[in-house]
Amino acid sequence: MRFALLVCLAALVVSPLAGCADSAPPEAPAVSASGDSLVSTFSIVAVDTLTGEIGVAVQSKFPNVRSIVPWVEAGVGAVATQSFARLDYGREGLALMRSGARADVAMLVQLGVDPDPESRQVGMVDARGRAATWTGAGAFEWRGGTAGGDAIESFTNLAPEAGTMIVGEGYAAQGNILVSEATVQAMARTFEAAEGPLAKRLMEALVAGGAAGGDKRGEQSAALVVHQKGAGYDGSDTIVDISVYDHPTPLAELERLYALNDLYFTDSKPENMTEVTPAIAREIQEIWIARGFQYEGPADGVVDDEFQRILTDYMGWENYDLRIDEVSGVDLAAGETLYIDREVLEDIRAVFREGRYR
């Protein structure tokens, strides 16, 4: 099998239209013949070639899936390695794509040097939009994957026991030990219909996969990782990196944490801004007084330079760093109106109402 993969690499690049063969999986241990641990899961890797966002969403009945399955590099590619996960698909797969290899070629190279490719399941996408997914015949049922665009099955007619490789565009979705293929179908269908930032579309796709059945053993951990060149905090490439290590409902927890990530690590949207009226100013002042935060005056609802300064400090104190500019940049002396992000205002209220402070 290993020799055949290497020999056929050039043939795939020229013509990826080989036939498809599938067979029932053999009984397999929790550790593969090469010593790799079983990471049974469902995942989706995807890229937005217009924005440069690229990432992975994954859920598994396995603790701390973030440390194993998702591999992402802005401007390069994304990889999900699962089912007796082999980390070189992430490490070396990204290195190959960094050097210019397409996702499907990078996958083939790694399959060719893998001592046990039939136990693997892998999804890859490169920054240019090429996507591929591999499901070895030794992965537990239900097992399988799909890819975006005019996806084609390829490079599978190597031996009677060979797995399935699918090549497409934009995204690849895959899973093993699933209740049924409905999980992969739901991820693909939802991702294609979703709108908004890539992280939101990946999150919606993953949740849809879970609702369609997911891992037949249940839930335990989940992760969402999305990179974009220079778009993260202080110019980093990381715009989302969320991990649920161990949780009875990791998808619901991932959604909650994604909402927090959106609040703390994204800029305010113009349509979310609301005027700081005297009533809102008075409400905020009452919170400052109750919490003992830098304000010794009355709750009079006056919106002046002092109020603006304290509000700016308070937003920094509460970690709304990326939402501060819209407040601090207002020139009240020139007659400009002070606005605050509705999401920030609602969170300020919730934190106080629920006593989530010291």
Side-chain angles (χ1 to χ4, degrees):
M1 176 65 179
R2 177 179 178 185
F3 175 75
L5 282 164
L6 289 170
V7 168
C8 292
L9 173 58
L12 173 73
V13 177
V14 176
S15 176
L17 295 172
C20 172
D22 196 6
S23 62
E27 292 297 321
V31 176
S32 73
S34 56
D36 300 298
S37 297
L38 176 64
V39 185
S40 308
T41 185
F42 56 97
S43 65
I44 178 168
V45 300
V47 63
D48 187 323
T49 56
L50 296 178
T51 65
E53 298 165 293
I54 192 163
V56 181
V58 55
Q59 191 270 311
S60 181
K61 183 65 174 68
F62 186 92
N64 194 22
V65 73
R66 169 66 182 92
S67 67
I68 296 174
V69 173
W71 298 75
V72 182
E73 185 174 338
V76 175
V79 180
T81 174
Q82 56 204 47
S83 179
F84 299 109
R86 179 175 167 88
L87 302 191
D88 273 354
Y89 283 98
R91 290 186 292 242
E92 301 302 326
L94 287 177
L96 286 163
M97 287 187 280
R98 194 181 307 122
S99 298
R102 295 183 335 209
D104 52 328
V105 175
M107 181 178 289
L108 276 171
V109 171
Q110 285 308 299
L111 286 168
V113 298
D114 187 344
D116 190 15
E118 293 302 339
S119 71
R120 317 297 181 195
Q121 188 169 63
V122 189
M124 287 190 184
V125 65
D126 61 52
R128 293 168 292 177
R130 192 66 163 174
T133 181
W134 163 266
T135 299
F140 281 111
E141 289 278 15
W142 188 88
R143 61 181 190 272
T146 189
D150 296 324
I152 53 175
E153 294 184 359
S154 67
F155 205 69
T156 57
N157 201 21
L158 301 175
E161 75 280 6
T164 301
M165 183 172 178
I166 298 173
V167 178
E169 297 290 335
Y171 73 88
Q174 48 280 315
N176 64 94
I177 314 190
L178 301 182
V179 172
S180 73
E181 63 183 317
T183 290
V184 169
Q185 293 172 343
M187 283 194 291
R189 184 172 58 250
T190 302
F191 181 79
E192 291 180 359
E195 298 179 348
L198 181 66
K200 175 178 175 291
R201 287 180 278 155
L202 287 171
M203 180 80 257
E204 291 178 1
L206 194 71
V207 170
D215 191 322
K216 68 175 60 175
R217 301 171 306 162
E219 302 179 67
Q220 188 165 4
S221 69
L224 175 64
V225 184
V226 178
H227 288 190
Q228 183 183 12
K229 280 287 187 182
Y233 191 94
D234 199 26
S236 77
D237 292 343
T238 303
I239 53 177
V240 180
D241 194 336
I242 304 172
S243 176
V244 179
Y245 191 110
D246 179 44
H247 197 278
T249 56
L251 288 176
E253 179 66 0
L254 195 67
E255 286 187 291
R256 185 187 74 83
L257 295 175
Y258 175 69
L260 288 180
N261 185 91
D262 188 62
L263 175 66
Y264 293 121
F265 294 102
T266 64
D267 295 320
S268 292
K269 301 176 182 67
E271 62 270 22
N272 280 349
M273 303 304 292
T274 188
E275 180 181 352
V276 179
T277 63
I280 290 175
R282 186 177 303 109
E283 180 183 5
I284 293 173
Q285 288 169 332
E286 289 171 349
I287 290 173
W288 292 342
I289 293 169
R291 294 190 58 177
F293 184 83
Q294 297 184 15
Y295 184 70
E296 298 178 355
D300 54 14
V302 173
V303 180
D304 55 13
D305 290 342
E306 182 188 19
F307 178 88
Q308 181 184 24
R309 177 188 62 79
I310 298 174
L311 179 58
T312 298
D313 288 348
Y314 186 69
M315 289 177 66
W317 176 271
E318 291 295 284
N319 301 315
Y320 309 116
D321 297 34
L322 298 185
R323 311 289 183 117
I324 290 176
D325 288 349
E326 289 79 6
V327 173
S328 62
V330 172
D331 189 346
L332 293 176
E336 294 181 1
T337 301
L338 189 65
Y339 288 85
I340 188 170
D341 192 304
R342 288 189 185 90
E343 293 178 353
V344 170
L345 180 59
E346 288 305 313
D347 196 60
I348 287 173
R349 289 166 169 163
V351 169
F352 181 66
R353 180 177 63 250
E354 297 165 14
R356 291 187 277 122
Y357 61 89
R358 294 184 66 180

